[in-house]
Amino acid sequence: MSDSAVSEVDTLPETAEPARPRRDPAKLVRTAAWLALLVVLLALPLYLDAAWLKAGQYMMIGAVGAIGLTLVVGQAGQLSLAHAFFLLAGGTAYTVLSGPTGDDRVIGFGLDPGLSLLGAVAVAALLGLAFAPVAGRLRGIYLGVASLALVFLGLYFGQSAEELTGGTSTGRTPAPFSLFGFPFTNDGPQLALLGVPIRAAERMWYLFLLLTVIAFVIARGAAGGRVGRSWRAVRDNEAAAAVMGVSVLRAKAGAFAVSSAYGGLAGAMTVLWFDILKPDESEFGTYGINVSIAFLAMVIIGGLGSVPGALVGALIVNGLPQVLALYSADLGWFSGTGDGALTPVLVSSFVYGAAIILVVLFEPGGLAAIGRRITQRRFRRQPPEEP
Amino acid sequence: MKRTHLAAALAVVLTLAACSTKAGDSGSSGSDSSGVKTGKGVTATEVTLGVMTDKSGVFKNLGLGVTQGNELWAKDFNAAGGACGRQVKLEEVDHGYKADTAKTLYPQIEPKVLGFVQLLGSPVVAALKQNLATDKAVAAPASWSSELLDNPYVMIVGTTYDVEMIDGLAYLQEQGLIKDGDTIGHVYIDGEYGKNGLRGSQFYAKKHNLTVKEVKITSTDSDLTNVVTGLKGAGVKAIALTTTPAQTGSAVAANKALGLNVPVLGNNPTFDPALLKSPAAGALDKLTVVASSVPFSADLPKAKDVAAKYKAAYKETPNGGVPYGYAVGEVWGAVLKKACDNKDLTRDGIAAALKQTTSVSTDDLVAALDFSKPGTPATRQVYAATPDATAEGGVRYVKPLFEAPEAKEYVAPHQK
């Protein structure tokens, strides 16, 4: 899996000009760097405690969602604040599809969890497609506001469709994930890798890593290929894109559907991570406006349209509060209370707020642009024309 | 080339993994010289209890109060000799009322503790419910929904919102403020808290042929004037509230301003002494609050004792969380002593001891509690109180601990 994932990244269409005589050193270094990162991520469960793995999984949820959002906002130029709604849709779809049949309180189809995960992605994609007529007509801030309506729709449906979501008072428990009969819990075969028992936390880490790598590779492929070019063409100039034979409406609808599918996957990961699907009681919560804005923040910090940038954005926005909370519990930082006290949650809000302002003021291309400049200086050659 | 990279990387990983520090960690369990079985969170000299609280989020005042109550109890409990000769130590973490932070902090704190003396916040409790069951850790949530009782490791100190509401309506009827066949309004926050309160009024209404006008709101709504106007149009004889204190203020103010002037009944969390300094202060006389735990400055010997100790130890403004936190500690103390008598201080031992705990006395900080029937609220008794700016603590008791016959009949959602 890991090998093929990296080789796909390796052969990005823009960079793969036919039969270069000499190997491109920048490309090789980049490949090696991705590979090293993957190896490190694969090895982390052998060192990190369950709490850190849990935090890492939360960053991966953010990464999957942010990759989807960067495609639609950065590549296709459609501002979407509806991401939280697709998270809720995906989470609900997974829970309903995999839920046990014959429960008189909630509906369940009793499907295989792996199949349900695919189903959740499909349901979210279809919902995104259903929003396409709106997405096709509006642009800019108007689309942002229209898409925000979906979050409120989600709040309402989450509360009223109790047979699906379990309702706000109790929620419902999603079926634990298993793939081909292998459970991602403490049950099943007792595994150990180099003396480290591979239990729920470690298994979930590998599952989330696999999903993130798949999400990443597909997004890189889409952004680098024909689809991505049509998205960027529509983003930059709709008339010009239409002249060149790009169907503007189809490109827009496609981008929205793809991003929704990513949101759905992130949603299914969210319910698996929380071990519960519980619709929000107000517009702030696990599937609220705050989440939509957090995803937007990841995408802006990482650099609009950049897939690796979205990963770094997720690391900062979703990861920082978690890491600070873990550290502060360990080291007794920020132990003050009361109105003026600094707390991990507060500090990380400041950090990502400041990051957004700094990025917008000094580097609108985000961290991705900074990264590109560094590699460019090192190898003194034009980087591939990546958006 | 790529293959060499991979091979080299793998080799590095294998070498590193060979000296991984994580391997072979196992829970320490066994028994000490006096034959007491021990497990996670218990050493030869200490019993560690977890506190997952909110010191930085929306409920930081309550969280701080409950935590300080827990600390006061631990001090007293240790001074009295502790459990099985072991001193109680509290391991505190702050989740800022965020379920995701709590979910991450839980695996960090879980291996260190025997159980949780505090778990604040309904989203946090919901997210950790599965973990508590898997790890068999007994926890006292600072949330009083009877829906939580399907988990045998959840220990609710006090009665639940639904029972509070039934007792409260019975009190109103006893006072002649409502009668069979009346219409009453119930304003509730859609969620664990509000829906549980609504269950109570629905049950009571069925018994007494009342019509309940239900109004669902969200916790962020601030102005309830339109809601009360609607209830006035429906001809309600009383209004039940399962809301936030700010919403209570808005509802009682509208009740007065619109000339409706019907009695208002609120669950324990609907009232905050701060309301007495708000613009709604003049309209609070119609409000009756039902609760199973006492406010900070209740006129009880034990509450006065706790208040005095609090003033000696802390300088923050106290709230109702302090006596509650102390009372939860007392319950934990009773359970620890029982487990100690059984010579089993493991998590299984605590769960078993909890089920054997039939009458914990907290010296009236909370009504007497019986944890022997899983799924059933530990008590069905409440106090009825009314706001009074002249009384210390902001409320005056109008009826001491009582249990309505309807509350006795009521079957909680997970009652067997």
Side-chain angles (χ1 to χ4, degrees), chain A residues 39 45-48 51 58 159 162 168-170 173 194-195 202 273-276 278 281 283 322 326 329-330 337-339 343, chain B residues 2 5 13 16-17 20 22-24 55-56 60 99-101 103-105 107-108 126-127 130 147 190-192 195 218 220:
Chain A
V39 168
L46 303 179
Y47 298 92
L48 293 183
Y58 195 61
Q159 290 179 349
E162 291 194 9
T168 46
S169 78
T170 57
T173 314
L194 300 163
E202 291 82 11
W273 189 81
F274 273 112
D275 300 314
I276 193 167
K278 195 165 183 257
E281 296 181 6
E283 57 271 43
Q322 306 259 326
L326 283 176
D330 263 352
T337 50
D339 272 336
T343 66
Chain B
K2 213 183 303 169
H5 273 302
V13 168
L16 285 175
S20 164
K22 201 184 161 193
K55 286 190 193 167
S56 51
K60 64 183 176 195
D100 48 81
T101 310
K103 198 78 179 163
T104 302
L105 287 170
Q108 189 185 39
Q130 207 74 19
E147 298 282 357
D190 193 15
E192 190 178 286
K195 284 218 178 123
T218 66
T220 44

Short mmCIF file of all heavy atoms in Angstrom, two decimals, chain A residues 39 45-48 51 58 159 162 168-170 173 194-195 202 273-276 278 281 283 322 326 329-330 337-339 343, chain B residues 2 5 13 16-17 20 22-24 55-56 60 99-101 103-105 107-108 126-127 130 147 190-192 195 218 220:
data_model
loop_
_atom_site.label_atom_id
_atom_site.label_comp_id
_atom_site.label_asym_id
_atom_site.label_seq_id
_atom_site.Cartn_x
_atom_site.Cartn_y
_atom_site.Cartn_z
N VAL A 39 6.91 6.45 6.66
CA VAL A 39 7.54 5.45 7.52
C VAL A 39 7.47 5.88 8.98
O VAL A 39 7.15 5.10 9.87
CB VAL A 39 8.99 5.20 7.07
CG1 VAL A 39 9.74 4.39 8.11
CG2 VAL A 39 9.01 4.49 5.73
N PRO A 45 3.00 4.50 16.29
CA PRO A 45 2.27 3.77 17.33
C PRO A 45 3.17 2.93 18.23
O PRO A 45 2.78 2.54 19.32
CB PRO A 45 1.31 2.88 16.54
CG PRO A 45 1.14 3.57 15.26
CD PRO A 45 2.45 4.24 14.97
N LEU A 46 4.39 2.65 17.76
CA LEU A 46 5.29 1.85 18.58
C LEU A 46 5.87 2.68 19.72
O LEU A 46 6.43 2.16 20.67
CB LEU A 46 6.43 1.30 17.72
CG LEU A 46 6.00 0.45 16.51
CD1 LEU A 46 7.20 -0.01 15.73
CD2 LEU A 46 5.17 -0.74 16.97
N TYR A 47 5.76 4.00 19.60
CA TYR A 47 6.37 4.86 20.61
C TYR A 47 5.36 5.66 21.40
O TYR A 47 5.55 5.91 22.58
CB TYR A 47 7.35 5.84 19.94
CG TYR A 47 8.47 5.11 19.27
CD1 TYR A 47 8.38 4.74 17.94
CD2 TYR A 47 9.59 4.73 20.00
CE1 TYR A 47 9.40 4.03 17.33
CE2 TYR A 47 10.61 4.02 19.41
CZ TYR A 47 10.51 3.67 18.07
OH TYR A 47 11.50 2.97 17.50
N LEU A 48 4.29 6.11 20.71
CA LEU A 48 3.38 7.05 21.36
C LEU A 48 2.35 6.33 22.22
O LEU A 48 1.90 5.25 21.88
CB LEU A 48 2.67 7.89 20.31
CG LEU A 48 3.55 8.85 19.52
CD1 LEU A 48 2.70 9.67 18.58
CD2 LEU A 48 4.33 9.75 20.46
N ALA A 51 -3.01 8.33 24.29
CA ALA A 51 -3.53 9.70 24.26
C ALA A 51 -2.97 10.45 23.05
O ALA A 51 -3.69 11.17 22.36
CB ALA A 51 -3.16 10.43 25.54
N TYR A 58 -7.12 12.62 15.51
CA TYR A 58 -7.98 13.80 15.34
C TYR A 58 -7.40 14.72 14.27
O TYR A 58 -8.13 15.30 13.47
CB TYR A 58 -8.09 14.54 16.68
CG TYR A 58 -9.21 15.54 16.72
CD1 TYR A 58 -10.53 15.12 16.56
CD2 TYR A 58 -8.97 16.89 16.91
CE1 TYR A 58 -11.56 16.03 16.59
CE2 TYR A 58 -10.01 17.80 16.95
CZ TYR A 58 -11.29 17.37 16.78
OH TYR A 58 -12.33 18.26 16.81
N GLN A 159 -31.50 17.19 14.93
CA GLN A 159 -32.36 17.18 16.11
C GLN A 159 -33.67 16.46 15.86
O GLN A 159 -34.18 15.75 16.73
CB GLN A 159 -32.63 18.61 16.55
CG GLN A 159 -31.41 19.29 17.12
CD GLN A 159 -31.66 20.72 17.54
OE1 GLN A 159 -32.70 21.28 17.23
NE2 GLN A 159 -30.71 21.31 18.23
N GLU A 162 -34.71 11.80 14.73
CA GLU A 162 -34.16 11.00 15.82
C GLU A 162 -33.97 9.54 15.46
O GLU A 162 -33.13 8.86 16.04
CB GLU A 162 -35.08 11.09 17.05
CG GLU A 162 -35.05 12.46 17.67
CD GLU A 162 -35.66 12.48 19.06
OE1 GLU A 162 -35.94 11.40 19.60
OE2 GLU A 162 -35.86 13.58 19.59
N THR A 168 -30.73 14.43 20.21
CA THR A 168 -29.73 15.18 20.96
C THR A 168 -29.57 14.68 22.39
O THR A 168 -28.56 14.95 23.01
CB THR A 168 -30.12 16.67 21.03
OG1 THR A 168 -31.49 16.74 21.39
CG2 THR A 168 -29.89 17.36 19.72
N SER A 169 -30.59 13.99 22.92
CA SER A 169 -30.48 13.68 24.34
C SER A 169 -29.58 12.48 24.59
O SER A 169 -28.93 12.42 25.62
CB SER A 169 -31.85 13.49 24.96
OG SER A 169 -32.38 12.26 24.67
N THR A 170 -29.53 11.54 23.68
CA THR A 170 -28.64 10.41 23.91
C THR A 170 -27.67 10.16 22.76
O THR A 170 -26.60 9.62 22.97
CB THR A 170 -29.45 9.10 24.08
OG1 THR A 170 -30.24 8.93 22.91
CG2 THR A 170 -30.34 9.16 25.29
N THR A 173 -24.71 4.99 19.34
CA THR A 173 -23.36 4.47 19.24
C THR A 173 -23.14 3.86 17.87
O THR A 173 -23.92 3.02 17.45
CB THR A 173 -23.15 3.39 20.31
OG1 THR A 173 -23.66 3.88 21.54
CG2 THR A 173 -21.70 3.04 20.46
N LEU A 194 6.76 -5.97 17.55
CA LEU A 194 7.99 -5.65 18.26
C LEU A 194 7.73 -5.44 19.75
O LEU A 194 8.22 -4.51 20.37
CB LEU A 194 8.63 -4.39 17.66
CG LEU A 194 9.00 -4.50 16.19
CD1 LEU A 194 9.23 -3.14 15.59
CD2 LEU A 194 10.21 -5.39 16.03
N GLY A 195 6.86 -6.28 20.28
CA GLY A 195 6.60 -6.23 21.72
C GLY A 195 5.56 -5.20 22.13
O GLY A 195 5.20 -5.12 23.29
N GLU A 202 -3.93 1.71 18.50
CA GLU A 202 -2.97 1.52 17.42
C GLU A 202 -3.68 1.11 16.13
O GLU A 202 -3.35 1.57 15.04
CB GLU A 202 -1.94 0.45 17.80
CG GLU A 202 -0.97 0.87 18.90
CD GLU A 202 -1.54 0.72 20.30
OE1 GLU A 202 -2.62 0.09 20.43
OE2 GLU A 202 -0.94 1.24 21.26
N TRP A 273 -14.19 8.12 15.91
CA TRP A 273 -13.22 8.65 16.87
C TRP A 273 -13.89 8.94 18.20
O TRP A 273 -13.35 8.67 19.26
CB TRP A 273 -12.60 9.92 16.29
CG TRP A 273 -11.43 10.45 17.06
CD1 TRP A 273 -10.15 10.00 16.99
CD2 TRP A 273 -11.45 11.51 18.01
NE1 TRP A 273 -9.36 10.73 17.83
CE2 TRP A 273 -10.12 11.66 18.48
CE3 TRP A 273 -12.43 12.35 18.51
CZ2 TRP A 273 -9.76 12.62 19.42
CZ3 TRP A 273 -12.07 13.30 19.45
CH2 TRP A 273 -10.76 13.43 19.90
N PHE A 274 -15.12 9.50 18.13
CA PHE A 274 -15.84 9.86 19.36
C PHE A 274 -16.56 8.66 19.97
O PHE A 274 -17.05 8.75 21.08
CB PHE A 274 -16.88 10.93 19.07
CG PHE A 274 -16.37 12.33 19.14
CD1 PHE A 274 -16.27 13.12 18.02
CD2 PHE A 274 -15.98 12.86 20.36
CE1 PHE A 274 -15.80 14.42 18.10
CE2 PHE A 274 -15.51 14.16 20.45
CZ PHE A 274 -15.42 14.93 19.32
N ASP A 275 -16.69 7.57 19.24
CA ASP A 275 -17.50 6.40 19.66
C ASP A 275 -18.96 6.78 19.84
O ASP A 275 -19.70 6.09 20.52
CB ASP A 275 -17.01 5.79 20.98
CG ASP A 275 -15.59 5.32 20.90
OD1 ASP A 275 -15.26 4.65 19.90
OD2 ASP A 275 -14.80 5.61 21.81
N ILE A 276 -19.39 7.91 19.30
CA ILE A 276 -20.79 8.27 19.44
C ILE A 276 -21.17 9.24 18.32
O ILE A 276 -20.34 10.03 17.86
CB ILE A 276 -21.06 8.91 20.82
CG1 ILE A 276 -22.57 8.99 21.10
CG2 ILE A 276 -20.43 10.28 20.95
CD1 ILE A 276 -22.91 9.31 22.54
N LYS A 278 -23.71 12.14 18.05
CA LYS A 278 -24.63 12.93 18.86
C LYS A 278 -24.83 14.28 18.18
O LYS A 278 -23.90 15.07 18.10
CB LYS A 278 -24.07 13.11 20.27
CG LYS A 278 -25.10 13.59 21.27
CD LYS A 278 -24.57 13.39 22.68
CE LYS A 278 -25.61 13.79 23.70
NZ LYS A 278 -25.33 15.11 24.29
N GLU A 281 -26.58 20.43 20.01
CA GLU A 281 -27.71 21.07 20.66
C GLU A 281 -27.86 22.52 20.22
O GLU A 281 -28.91 23.11 20.35
CB GLU A 281 -27.55 20.99 22.18
CG GLU A 281 -27.57 19.56 22.68
CD GLU A 281 -27.44 19.43 24.18
OE1 GLU A 281 -27.45 20.45 24.87
OE2 GLU A 281 -27.34 18.28 24.65
N GLU A 283 -25.85 25.76 17.41
CA GLU A 283 -25.08 25.84 16.16
C GLU A 283 -23.57 25.74 16.37
O GLU A 283 -22.82 25.78 15.42
CB GLU A 283 -25.47 27.09 15.37
CG GLU A 283 -25.31 28.40 16.10
CD GLU A 283 -26.56 28.78 16.89
OE1 GLU A 283 -27.16 27.90 17.54
OE2 GLU A 283 -26.95 29.95 16.86
N GLN A 322 -5.08 20.01 21.02
CA GLN A 322 -4.94 18.69 21.61
C GLN A 322 -3.55 18.51 22.22
O GLN A 322 -3.41 18.05 23.35
CB GLN A 322 -5.13 17.63 20.51
CG GLN A 322 -6.43 17.79 19.77
CD GLN A 322 -7.45 16.81 20.25
OE1 GLN A 322 -7.13 15.71 20.62
NE2 GLN A 322 -8.69 17.21 20.26
N LEU A 326 -2.53 18.05 26.15
CA LEU A 326 -1.78 16.90 26.65
C LEU A 326 -0.52 17.34 27.38
O LEU A 326 -0.21 16.85 28.46
CB LEU A 326 -1.41 15.96 25.50
CG LEU A 326 -2.55 15.10 24.96
CD1 LEU A 326 -2.08 14.29 23.77
CD2 LEU A 326 -3.04 14.16 26.04
N ALA A 329 -1.29 19.04 30.70
CA ALA A 329 -1.65 18.09 31.75
C ALA A 329 -0.39 17.41 32.29
O ALA A 329 -0.28 17.14 33.48
CB ALA A 329 -2.62 17.05 31.20
N ASP A 330 0.56 17.16 31.39
CA ASP A 330 1.81 16.50 31.81
C ASP A 330 2.69 17.42 32.65
O ASP A 330 3.26 17.03 33.65
CB ASP A 330 2.60 16.09 30.56
CG ASP A 330 2.37 14.63 30.23
OD1 ASP A 330 1.73 13.95 31.05
OD2 ASP A 330 2.83 14.18 29.18
N THR A 337 -6.95 29.60 36.55
CA THR A 337 -8.37 29.58 36.25
C THR A 337 -8.89 31.00 36.32
O THR A 337 -8.16 31.93 36.68
CB THR A 337 -9.14 28.74 37.27
OG1 THR A 337 -8.76 29.17 38.55
CG2 THR A 337 -8.87 27.28 37.09
N GLY A 338 -10.15 31.15 35.97
CA GLY A 338 -10.76 32.47 36.05
C GLY A 338 -10.72 33.18 34.70
O GLY A 338 -10.32 32.60 33.69
N ASP A 339 -11.13 34.45 34.72
CA ASP A 339 -11.33 35.15 33.46
C ASP A 339 -10.05 35.40 32.68
O ASP A 339 -10.02 35.28 31.48
CB ASP A 339 -12.03 36.49 33.73
CG ASP A 339 -13.53 36.33 33.73
OD1 ASP A 339 -13.99 35.37 33.09
OD2 ASP A 339 -14.22 37.14 34.36
N THR A 343 -5.29 29.28 28.84
CA THR A 343 -5.55 27.86 28.83
C THR A 343 -5.14 27.32 27.47
O THR A 343 -5.02 28.09 26.51
CB THR A 343 -7.05 27.58 29.03
OG1 THR A 343 -7.74 28.10 27.90
CG2 THR A 343 -7.57 28.24 30.28
N LYS B 2 14.52 4.03 -5.41
CA LYS B 2 13.42 4.12 -4.47
C LYS B 2 13.47 2.95 -3.48
O LYS B 2 13.20 3.10 -2.30
CB LYS B 2 12.11 4.09 -5.24
CG LYS B 2 11.04 4.93 -4.58
CD LYS B 2 9.75 4.83 -5.33
CE LYS B 2 9.90 5.23 -6.77
NZ LYS B 2 8.75 4.90 -7.58
N HIS B 5 15.90 3.46 -0.79
CA HIS B 5 15.33 4.37 0.21
C HIS B 5 14.46 3.61 1.19
O HIS B 5 14.60 3.73 2.40
CB HIS B 5 14.44 5.43 -0.47
CG HIS B 5 15.20 6.61 -0.94
ND1 HIS B 5 15.94 7.39 -0.10
CD2 HIS B 5 15.35 7.15 -2.17
CE1 HIS B 5 16.50 8.36 -0.78
NE2 HIS B 5 16.16 8.23 -2.05
N VAL B 13 13.79 2.10 11.04
CA VAL B 13 12.61 1.89 11.88
C VAL B 13 12.80 0.68 12.78
O VAL B 13 12.52 0.71 13.97
CB VAL B 13 11.36 1.71 11.01
CG1 VAL B 13 10.20 1.20 11.85
CG2 VAL B 13 10.97 3.02 10.37
N LEU B 16 15.12 1.42 15.58
CA LEU B 16 14.48 2.28 16.58
C LEU B 16 13.46 1.50 17.38
O LEU B 16 13.39 1.62 18.60
CB LEU B 16 13.81 3.47 15.90
CG LEU B 16 14.74 4.57 15.40
CD1 LEU B 16 13.95 5.62 14.65
CD2 LEU B 16 15.48 5.20 16.55
N ALA B 17 12.69 0.68 16.66
CA ALA B 17 11.61 -0.04 17.33
C ALA B 17 12.15 -1.01 18.35
O ALA B 17 11.53 -1.30 19.36
CB ALA B 17 10.76 -0.77 16.30
N SER B 20 12.11 0.55 21.52
CA SER B 20 10.88 1.26 21.86
C SER B 20 10.62 1.14 23.35
O SER B 20 10.77 0.09 23.95
CB SER B 20 9.72 0.66 21.09
OG SER B 20 8.50 1.07 21.65
N LYS B 22 7.72 1.71 24.67
CA LYS B 22 6.32 1.48 24.95
C LYS B 22 6.02 0.00 25.22
O LYS B 22 5.01 -0.33 25.82
CB LYS B 22 5.50 1.97 23.76
CG LYS B 22 4.05 2.25 24.09
CD LYS B 22 3.33 2.62 22.82
CE LYS B 22 1.85 2.47 22.99
NZ LYS B 22 1.18 2.53 21.70
N ALA B 23 6.92 -0.85 24.78
CA ALA B 23 6.64 -2.28 24.84
C ALA B 23 6.48 -2.77 26.27
O ALA B 23 7.12 -2.29 27.19
CB ALA B 23 7.76 -3.05 24.16
N GLY B 24 5.60 -3.72 26.40
CA GLY B 24 5.50 -4.44 27.66
C GLY B 24 4.96 -3.67 28.84
O GLY B 24 5.31 -3.94 29.97
N LYS B 55 -12.07 24.20 33.34
CA LYS B 55 -11.50 25.36 34.02
C LYS B 55 -11.36 26.53 33.07
O LYS B 55 -10.88 27.59 33.45
CB LYS B 55 -10.12 25.01 34.58
CG LYS B 55 -10.14 24.12 35.80
CD LYS B 55 -8.74 24.06 36.38
CE LYS B 55 -8.61 22.97 37.41
NZ LYS B 55 -7.20 22.72 37.72
N SER B 56 -11.69 26.33 31.80
CA SER B 56 -11.44 27.40 30.84
C SER B 56 -12.60 27.60 29.87
O SER B 56 -12.56 28.54 29.08
CB SER B 56 -10.17 27.08 30.06
OG SER B 56 -10.24 25.77 29.55
N LYS B 60 -16.67 27.25 33.41
CA LYS B 60 -15.47 27.24 34.25
C LYS B 60 -15.77 27.60 35.70
O LYS B 60 -15.12 27.10 36.61
CB LYS B 60 -14.39 28.15 33.67
CG LYS B 60 -14.73 29.60 33.60
CD LYS B 60 -13.59 30.36 32.94
CE LYS B 60 -13.95 31.82 32.77
NZ LYS B 60 -13.06 32.49 31.84
N ALA B 99 -15.53 18.27 23.92
CA ALA B 99 -15.55 16.81 23.89
C ALA B 99 -14.29 16.25 23.24
O ALA B 99 -13.78 15.22 23.67
CB ALA B 99 -16.79 16.32 23.16
N ASP B 100 -13.77 16.93 22.20
CA ASP B 100 -12.60 16.37 21.51
C ASP B 100 -11.37 16.40 22.42
O ASP B 100 -10.61 15.45 22.46
CB ASP B 100 -12.35 17.08 20.17
CG ASP B 100 -12.37 18.58 20.28
OD1 ASP B 100 -11.35 19.13 20.69
OD2 ASP B 100 -13.40 19.19 19.95
N THR B 101 -11.21 17.50 23.16
CA THR B 101 -10.07 17.57 24.08
C THR B 101 -10.21 16.50 25.17
O THR B 101 -9.25 15.82 25.52
CB THR B 101 -10.01 18.97 24.73
OG1 THR B 101 -10.08 19.95 23.69
CG2 THR B 101 -8.73 19.16 25.49
N LYS B 103 -11.73 13.69 24.96
CA LYS B 103 -11.51 12.37 24.37
C LYS B 103 -10.02 12.05 24.27
O LYS B 103 -9.61 10.90 24.41
CB LYS B 103 -12.17 12.35 22.98
CG LYS B 103 -12.41 10.99 22.40
CD LYS B 103 -13.62 10.30 22.97
CE LYS B 103 -13.80 8.95 22.31
NZ LYS B 103 -14.68 8.08 23.07
N THR B 104 -9.22 13.08 24.01
CA THR B 104 -7.77 12.88 23.93
C THR B 104 -7.14 12.77 25.31
O THR B 104 -6.22 11.98 25.52
CB THR B 104 -7.12 14.06 23.17
OG1 THR B 104 -7.70 14.12 21.89
CG2 THR B 104 -5.63 13.86 23.04
N LEU B 105 -7.66 13.58 26.26
CA LEU B 105 -7.07 13.56 27.59
C LEU B 105 -7.40 12.27 28.33
O LEU B 105 -6.65 11.83 29.19
CB LEU B 105 -7.57 14.76 28.41
CG LEU B 105 -6.99 16.11 28.01
CD1 LEU B 105 -7.74 17.23 28.70
CD2 LEU B 105 -5.51 16.17 28.34
N PRO B 107 -7.39 8.95 27.55
CA PRO B 107 -6.40 7.86 27.60
C PRO B 107 -5.16 8.22 28.41
O PRO B 107 -4.46 7.33 28.88
CB PRO B 107 -6.02 7.62 26.14
CG PRO B 107 -6.95 8.40 25.33
CD PRO B 107 -7.64 9.41 26.18
N GLN B 108 -4.90 9.53 28.56
CA GLN B 108 -3.74 9.94 29.34
C GLN B 108 -3.99 9.76 30.84
O GLN B 108 -3.13 9.30 31.58
CB GLN B 108 -3.41 11.40 29.03
CG GLN B 108 -2.09 11.85 29.63
CD GLN B 108 -1.87 13.34 29.40
OE1 GLN B 108 -2.78 14.15 29.48
NE2 GLN B 108 -0.63 13.70 29.10
N ALA B 126 -21.09 12.16 27.22
CA ALA B 126 -21.58 11.35 26.10
C ALA B 126 -20.41 10.74 25.33
O ALA B 126 -20.43 9.57 24.98
CB ALA B 126 -22.43 12.21 25.17
N ALA B 127 -19.36 11.54 25.11
CA ALA B 127 -18.23 11.05 24.32
C ALA B 127 -17.44 9.99 25.07
O ALA B 127 -16.81 9.13 24.45
CB ALA B 127 -17.32 12.22 23.93
N GLN B 130 -18.70 5.25 26.31
CA GLN B 130 -18.19 3.96 25.85
C GLN B 130 -16.88 3.60 26.56
O GLN B 130 -16.68 2.46 26.96
CB GLN B 130 -17.97 4.05 24.34
CG GLN B 130 -18.08 2.74 23.62
CD GLN B 130 -19.52 2.27 23.52
OE1 GLN B 130 -20.45 3.05 23.67
NE2 GLN B 130 -19.70 0.99 23.28
N GLU B 147 -31.08 9.49 31.30
CA GLU B 147 -30.68 8.72 30.13
C GLU B 147 -29.27 8.15 30.28
O GLU B 147 -28.89 7.21 29.60
CB GLU B 147 -30.69 9.61 28.88
CG GLU B 147 -32.05 10.19 28.51
CD GLU B 147 -32.96 9.19 27.82
OE1 GLU B 147 -32.51 8.05 27.58
OE2 GLU B 147 -34.11 9.55 27.55
N ASP B 190 -33.38 21.79 23.61
CA ASP B 190 -33.32 20.50 22.93
C ASP B 190 -31.96 19.86 23.22
O ASP B 190 -30.93 20.36 22.81
CB ASP B 190 -33.50 20.71 21.43
CG ASP B 190 -33.76 19.39 20.72
OD1 ASP B 190 -34.08 18.42 21.42
OD2 ASP B 190 -33.65 19.34 19.50
N GLY B 191 -31.98 18.78 23.93
CA GLY B 191 -30.73 18.12 24.29
C GLY B 191 -30.95 17.22 25.49
O GLY B 191 -32.07 17.05 25.96
N GLU B 192 -29.82 16.67 25.96
CA GLU B 192 -29.87 15.73 27.07
C GLU B 192 -30.60 16.30 28.28
O GLU B 192 -31.46 15.66 28.88
CB GLU B 192 -28.41 15.44 27.44
CG GLU B 192 -28.21 14.32 28.39
CD GLU B 192 -26.72 14.13 28.61
OE1 GLU B 192 -26.08 13.59 27.69
OE2 GLU B 192 -26.21 14.52 29.66
N LYS B 195 -34.59 17.54 27.30
CA LYS B 195 -35.48 16.44 26.96
C LYS B 195 -35.77 15.58 28.18
O LYS B 195 -36.84 15.00 28.31
CB LYS B 195 -34.86 15.59 25.86
CG LYS B 195 -34.96 16.25 24.52
CD LYS B 195 -35.23 15.22 23.46
CE LYS B 195 -35.38 15.86 22.11
NZ LYS B 195 -34.42 15.30 21.14
N THR B 218 -32.99 26.42 21.72
CA THR B 218 -31.60 25.98 21.80
C THR B 218 -30.91 26.76 22.91
O THR B 218 -31.38 27.82 23.33
CB THR B 218 -30.82 26.21 20.48
OG1 THR B 218 -30.73 27.61 20.26
CG2 THR B 218 -31.49 25.54 19.31
N THR B 220 -28.53 28.61 22.97
CA THR B 220 -28.01 29.95 22.64
C THR B 220 -29.10 30.99 22.51
O THR B 220 -28.80 32.17 22.36
CB THR B 220 -27.19 29.88 21.34
OG1 THR B 220 -27.91 29.10 20.39
CG2 THR B 220 -25.85 29.27 21.56
#
